[in-house]
């Protein structure tokens, strides 16, 4: 059961700090992260240029043994270019893509064709990154099976039965859940792992949670999940995509850069508030 | 971890067949059901009169050792009367209630007052029966904590983290999930149990699933859950509330009566189709 | 274009005050209401017994020339009995019914059968009362056409195009929208009228709004709609179903009784707050 | 009351055909379109590069007297650059922006800051382009008022009362609805106009609809709206964003280019099917 980190993309004055990016990956992989998910939602992928995403991949592949590269784009040619670029790196075990987002008026045929075009463009496994809350569209297990060429899925979904359905219909697929509040559930029901943004700030806790599940200590596993839930509850109203950067500093002790507007960084009051709000959870996790 | 059956209410020509009701409870409790949930959604509770609900309770209490009695009503006095009636029976370990349904324009204050009025009316523990898809309103863990007097919850919800949150905020509460597709997840994360309509037709399978989880055999537990999922997938498009009656006949081998219109029984073609559609799942479960 | 009032049901100590009910109908029909909708949502219909609904109908038919009687029930026999009872009264121009509510797991066949059974039970026209926010299910124009025997619809829906679609697909149907915030739109696009709870407290304003539309004075019509919108905005957070009683007192000057718990009456603070909150709208309407 | 066309962006082999774009604008403005909305959703704006959007604007400003330029972007600097570029063109009467899309975890503060940053960057009026179905977030009238600097809104929303609320709270704002199925309603309730994708293929019909409303001929106006509704009903299942191109050819008689994958063009069978499906509506409109 893998712990996969959808790595944050650290900006300084609107530019990506690639050294910090690599350093951050080094830190979290040393603390239990098995693989990194590059240019996902937490990594602000849909807000990055093709060149920026290539640079991230290069940096990630230089420090992580296992990389999943998120290539989703509203321009098919860009997604294809990213898929092809990924072939240069042995560390890339799969490319993943969100379905075309924003445009609510695409047909199922169009969605399926998009993924088939990606499959045709690369020799690497193509994973579905299903995230209805961001994309406005659910590509569920039946739809994914229909597409035919998908080898894995990151399902960011509050319904673990929805995630399990991919495994039920396609037992050979790699199946990950992407919700931080379902890490305990994901490990407990035997998914292939989780892609959890919390792996950016509490990778040790996720590792311990996994160990607790593995040895049947549900009580212990649950107490870790509950501490993570407390963090999420505090951070979400502030804008979770931005709060993650601050949580890295709070829990890991180093400056993790900033997001890029319009994903605005927390302001000083919000930062102070967040630090106080997660103090108890931090104590519980005793990192 | 309890297996609780929300027992179907068997009708014959518009009247409840109380003997069949008792017989059915006897059968499923013999096969692993720990407690029965009387006049819940599967039991068509909101479509029953006060007298019908009292009769059901009396019948259930005569054959089951543990009963939870669902008393939710759009008339407070009726709910209170049912709560008081329940005190006559030692087997009743709690009364449960859905929040006032149908009326989308009630305030939080009104919802809270309803539950407090129920708590004041009975010495028995009062459980929340949270079922947003039916009620049109979510009484989540925070709202439940605010109410103050609730001792348990049946959360019919696809998000297991939503269910776990009651436990997180109120560790002493009895917490059950009510979704048949989350039985594996519910047992795995250590809820107090499940209230699963499938306990009407495959109680043995639920018992085995629980055993498999208890001994750490996730693979086995998952294969049982998947078979149940296949049954649900077949039955839902026909009207699950009606299909349950037929599933009892298919899996348990006896006529389980009918629902009452407008919860119309399946027609003969639907029954035949359902039987064929679940044949494979039945073979997998090998009951 | 009709102004139809879904009349509130005034309770005193849990019993319906039928004299007050008749008096209220007399008042609002004198002020512009064309017909009354008995035992609808505003009338707390789904929370009333069969006997209570019969009594309401009798009272309404004694004072109103045009009555639509809402008979929806989770017991088909009760709905049928109400449909038959309605035949006694010449004033009843139609019976209306919500689809079976609460139970989220009924099939389309079951819903259609329910309405066909009602049509078969009465010689009066049967209207669909479509209210997805309360019922949890949308019976849209296509579904309604499929049912085949419906002669009218009250569509409580924020999307006026959804309401117009009934007219588009079934030009001979009587089509009403049931949202207080869409009175202007309903009149402007030429629906057959509105069923508006505000007809209980500002019937004169609705009549003026209709006149303004009829003479092409959109500006004036809009200013009335906006005043109603302000009232709705103030009243909704308090629980609109309860606030309506208070709004009758505020705008019409007489005690309109109370709802019945769990539709709890406003408490004194809420009443005072509401009165202050709608003062400006009241001045604008200058009733 | 304005008829504003969110102009399609015609591609040939992945490149924008700017001549065709200008020609298309010339045609529809000659037939009743008052202003063009450049790089909106119908124009595939979120799928275009900054350079492509600038080129579109330049082309539009050369042939249309009134232009609204949609600048929404997940990179603030790009949106600002587009806002500044727009100042070169007298025809640009406003810039509009969707709120940051895709990222579901931004706070209200972040959304407000985005719009304030746009307002600060340009001397042109800034309009909100509210489109919850695409963006996953509703910036309603209250939120818009809070932002403070917005001068107009395109509200793509099925609830006309939602659109009217901007006018109610901010009477000086320019308020447009963006739903093709609400053109009749929008004109009837006195909005400032519509931004309707159907202005690409039936601009004459929209002009006649407006005239009919202006002279109080609701019947006639409604028959035009219903014909448009039939077209929408036929086109939507095929992927409306793609079907629009084909509808231009069907109704206006010229090749309008193609969308760019992953907004795939209709395939030949779909094109043939669509043509047949809208034949009746075309006859009704008698363009």
């Amino acid at each position: 059961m893998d712990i996969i980190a959808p790595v944050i993309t650290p900006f300084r004055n609107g530019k990506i700090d690639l050294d910090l990016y690599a350093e951050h990956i080094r830190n979290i992989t040393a603390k239990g992260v098995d693989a990194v998910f590059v240019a996902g939602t937490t990594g602000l992928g849909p807000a990055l240029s093709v060149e920026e995403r290539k640079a991230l991949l290069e940096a990630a592949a230089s420090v992580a043994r296992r990389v999943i590269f998120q290539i989703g784009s509203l321009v098919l040619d860009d997604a294809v270019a990213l898929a092809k670029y990924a072939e240069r790196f042995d560390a890339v075990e799969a490319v993943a893509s969100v379905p075309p987002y924003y445009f609510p008026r695409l047909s199922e045929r169009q969605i399926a064709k998009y993924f088939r075009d990606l499959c045709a463009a690369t020799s690497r496994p193509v994973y579905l990154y299903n995230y209805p809350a961001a994309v406005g569209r659910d590509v569920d297990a039946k739809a994914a099976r229909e597409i035919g060429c998908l080898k894995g899925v990151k399902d960011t979904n509050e319904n673990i039965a929805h995630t399990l359905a991919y495994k039920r219909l396609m037992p050979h697929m790699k199946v990950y859940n992407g919700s931080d509040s379902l890490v305990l559930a994901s490990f407990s029901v035997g998914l292939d792992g989780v892609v959890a943004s919390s792996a950016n700030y509490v990778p040790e806790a996720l590792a311990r949670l996994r160990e607790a599940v593995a040895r049947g200590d549900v009580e212990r596993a649950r107490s870790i999940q509950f501490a993570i839930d407390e963090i999420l509850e505090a951070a979400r109203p502030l804008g979770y995509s931005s709060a993650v950067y601050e949580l890295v500093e709070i829990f890991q002790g180093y400056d993790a850069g900033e997001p890029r507007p319009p994903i605005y960084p927390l302001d000083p009051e919000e930062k102070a508030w967040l630090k106080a709000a997660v103090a108890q959870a931090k104590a519980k996790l005793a990192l």
Side-chain angles (χ1 to χ4, degrees), chain A:
Chain A
M1 293 187 301
D2 292 325
I3 296 169
I4 304 177
V7 188
I8 54 167
T9 299
F11 286 90
R12 303 275 186 209
N13 304 314
K15 300 282 168 213
I16 299 175
D17 183 336
L18 289 169
D19 291 339
L20 178 50
Y21 187 68
E23 202 49 56
H24 178 56
I25 291 176
R26 242 182 241 115
N27 175 49
I28 60 178
T29 50
K31 288 178 173 168
V33 164
D34 301 292
V36 295
F37 192 81
V38 171
T41 303
T42 305
L44 307 184
L48 303 179
S49 70
V50 167
E51 289 315 309
E52 287 173 329
R53 293 211 251 177
K54 286 181 176 176
L56 284 182
L57 176 59
E58 197 177 331
S62 72
V63 286
R65 265 169 312 180
R66 296 175 53 199
V67 174
I68 300 170
F69 186 38
Q70 205 280 117
I71 61 172
S73 172
L74 293 176
V75 179
L76 176 66
D77 286 351
D78 288 352
V80 164
L82 291 169
K84 290 197 183 305
Y85 186 74
E87 297 191 331
R88 300 186 188 183
F89 303 92
D90 290 342
V92 175
E93 64 183 39
V95 296
S97 178
V98 285
Y101 46 91
Y102 183 83
F103 294 97
R105 291 167 166 180
L106 302 185
S107 67
E108 279 185 42
R109 181 187 74 84
Q110 291 173 316
I111 304 303
K113 186 161 172 46
Y114 172 75
F115 282 104
R116 287 183 196 132
D117 281 355
L118 295 185
C119 291
T122 177
S123 57
R124 296 295 162 92
V126 174
Y127 288 6
L128 164 67
Y129 176 14
N130 191 49
Y131 190 2
V135 169
R137 168 178 295 120
D138 184 25
V139 180
D140 66 9
K142 278 191 180 174
R145 184 175 56 179
E146 197 67 29
I147 290 169
C149 63
L150 299 169
K151 305 295 188 202
V153 60
K154 172 190 174 183
D155 186 33
T156 300
N157 202 297
E158 300 295 299
N159 180 357
I160 197 81
H162 185 283
T163 308
L164 271 169
Y166 296 97
K167 205 74 185 175
R168 177 160 62 87
L169 298 188
M170 292 161 287
H172 299 301
M173 218 185 201
K174 287 279 182 190
V175 178
Y176 303 98
N177 184 279
S179 168
D180 285 284
S181 59
L182 291 176
V183 174
L184 164 60
S186 297
F187 287 147
S188 299
V189 303
L191 291 184
D192 294 300
V194 296
V195 185
S197 67
S198 51
N200 282 284
Y201 50 89
V202 287
E204 313 89 332
L206 295 177
R208 283 184 217 156
L209 198 168
R210 178 173 54 183
E211 288 159 28
V213 169
R215 67 172 187 268
D217 187 349
V218 174
E219 192 85 9
R220 171 73 178 136
R222 211 161 62 185
S223 73
I224 298 171
Q225 176 69 65
F226 283 178
I228 293 171
D229 292 342
E230 284 177 36
I231 298 168
L232 297 171
E233 222 166 77
R236 281 180 176 157
L238 303 176
Y240 185 69
S241 295
S242 302
V244 173
Y245 293 80
E246 200 55 26
L247 291 170
V248 174
E249 177 149 3
I250 293 171
F251 286 94
Q252 295 295 318
Y254 51 86
D255 178 349
E258 292 190 335
R260 179 165 64 183
I263 297 99
Y264 293 95
L266 300 192
D267 64 26
E269 294 73 31
E270 290 173 330
K271 290 181 181 181
W273 185 91
L274 180 61
K275 195 168 179 179
V278 303
Q280 208 167 12
K282 192 176 175 188
K284 281 184 199 165
L285 290 172
L287 298 177

